[in-house]
Amino acid sequence: MNEPLRILLTGFGPFPGAPFNPTMPLVKRLSELRRPALDDVEISSHIFHVTYGTVDRELPQLIAERRPHALLMFGLAGRTPYLRIETRARNAVTTTFPDADRHVARKGVIVPGAHPMLFGPHMARLLRAARATGIDARPSRDAGSYLCNYLSWRAIEATRTADGPRLAAFIHIPPLPRAGTALPRGNSRITIEPLVDAGEAMLMEMVRLVRRKSVRTS
């Protein structure tokens, strides 16, 4: 590539039922990585306020301003004790659970009549990369019907535009205990360090995939 490879990492802030969102420290840690293999990679990050309007407003702005070649997005799955590698976005929006501004969506779909959209075969490579670090990672076909799924949908849409990112991926992470607190019994025992290791492995795989894709299309 004749220009620096650009990766945009995203997470979410707090939302009803989740006053602490562990995607925030995870994205921060990943954006601060310094590795020889990343010397020619520009890594930027962004934390979305958990509302549909924020995603609709800020995602196009981020793509236009930062021109990422790939999006690596993280969200919280509060009831899942393992890493979920999402393979598709559903055409669904919850009409019962409010966003961070306490607004509830009125329509239960994103695009009337549309079918689910797939991220692509690269998600299998991210799954293998994560598992290679020893973390419990599993593929998922259901990203829910909240902001994580909505962002996934909009990101896949963006990859299908001429000026959009070439690849996008969404990863659901389990809840993490904050300092001085404990998770309820049965919840994840995964800590931030294994998540950072898995996140780094997936980030490195995204870099390889984008480079390979660039060679094929050049």
Side-chain angles (χ1 to χ4, degrees):
M1 299 179 67
N2 296 323
E3 58 180 342
L5 192 155
R6 296 178 294 275
I7 307 289
L8 174 59
L9 307 175
T10 75
F12 282 107
F15 58 91
F20 168 64
N21 194 322
T23 63
M24 298 173 68
L26 174 61
V27 166
K28 183 176 187 297
R29 289 280 299 275
L30 293 176
S31 67
E32 294 172 348
L33 285 174
R34 298 295 179 265
R35 301 287 186 271
L38 298 175
D39 284 348
D40 61 344
V41 179
E42 293 181 359
I43 300 175
S44 61
S45 63
H46 183 76
I47 300 298
F48 287 103
H49 182 52
V50 187
T51 72
Y52 301 98
T54 298
V55 170
D56 283 338
R57 181 178 65 256
E58 294 183 356
L59 181 61
Q61 291 176 350
L62 289 165
I63 292 173
E65 294 170 1
R66 303 188 190 182
R67 298 180 295 119
H69 295 99
L71 300 173
L72 182 54
M73 306 168 288
F74 295 92
L76 172 63
R79 298 181 180 179
T80 305
Y82 51 85
L83 209 63
R84 275 173 36 194
I85 312 299
E86 300 299 343
T87 60
R88 66 176 191 163
R90 301 170 60 232
N91 187 19
V93 179
T94 178
T95 57
T96 58
F97 195 74
D99 64 19
D101 286 347
R102 299 291 175 178
H103 295 148
V104 177
R106 295 182 178 180
K107 297 181 179 179
V109 297
I110 303 172
V111 178
H115 296 291
M117 294 199 294
L118 301 177
F119 277 106
H122 60 283
M123 300 308 295
R125 297 182 67 92
L126 297 190
L127 175 63
R128 289 195 294 271
R131 283 177 169 173
T133 68
I135 203 168
D136 184 0
R138 309 178 195 180
S140 169
R141 288 174 47 83
D142 188 350
S145 57
Y146 197 45
L147 266 296
C148 292
N149 180 73
Y150 189 76
L151 176 60
S152 295
W153 185 281
R154 294 306 186 198
I156 295 173
E157 282 184 335
T159 65
R160 300 181 179 183
T161 64
D163 298 326
R166 296 167 189 172
L167 292 174
F170 196 94
I171 314 298
H172 264 122
I173 70 171
L176 298 177
R178 300 187 70 176
T181 66
L183 292 172
R185 180 177 296 180
N187 281 48
S188 172
R189 295 182 180 180
I190 295 177
T191 62
I192 186 66
E193 297 305 328
L195 279 179
V196 171
D197 290 343
E200 178 180 350
M202 290 185 288
L203 172 60
M204 298 299 290
E205 186 62 31
M206 286 288 276
V207 168
R208 285 190 286 269
L209 287 165
V210 173
R211 284 178 174 150
R212 186 177 303 169
K213 195 175 183 70
S214 299
V215 169
R216 290 178 178 174
T217 57
S218 62

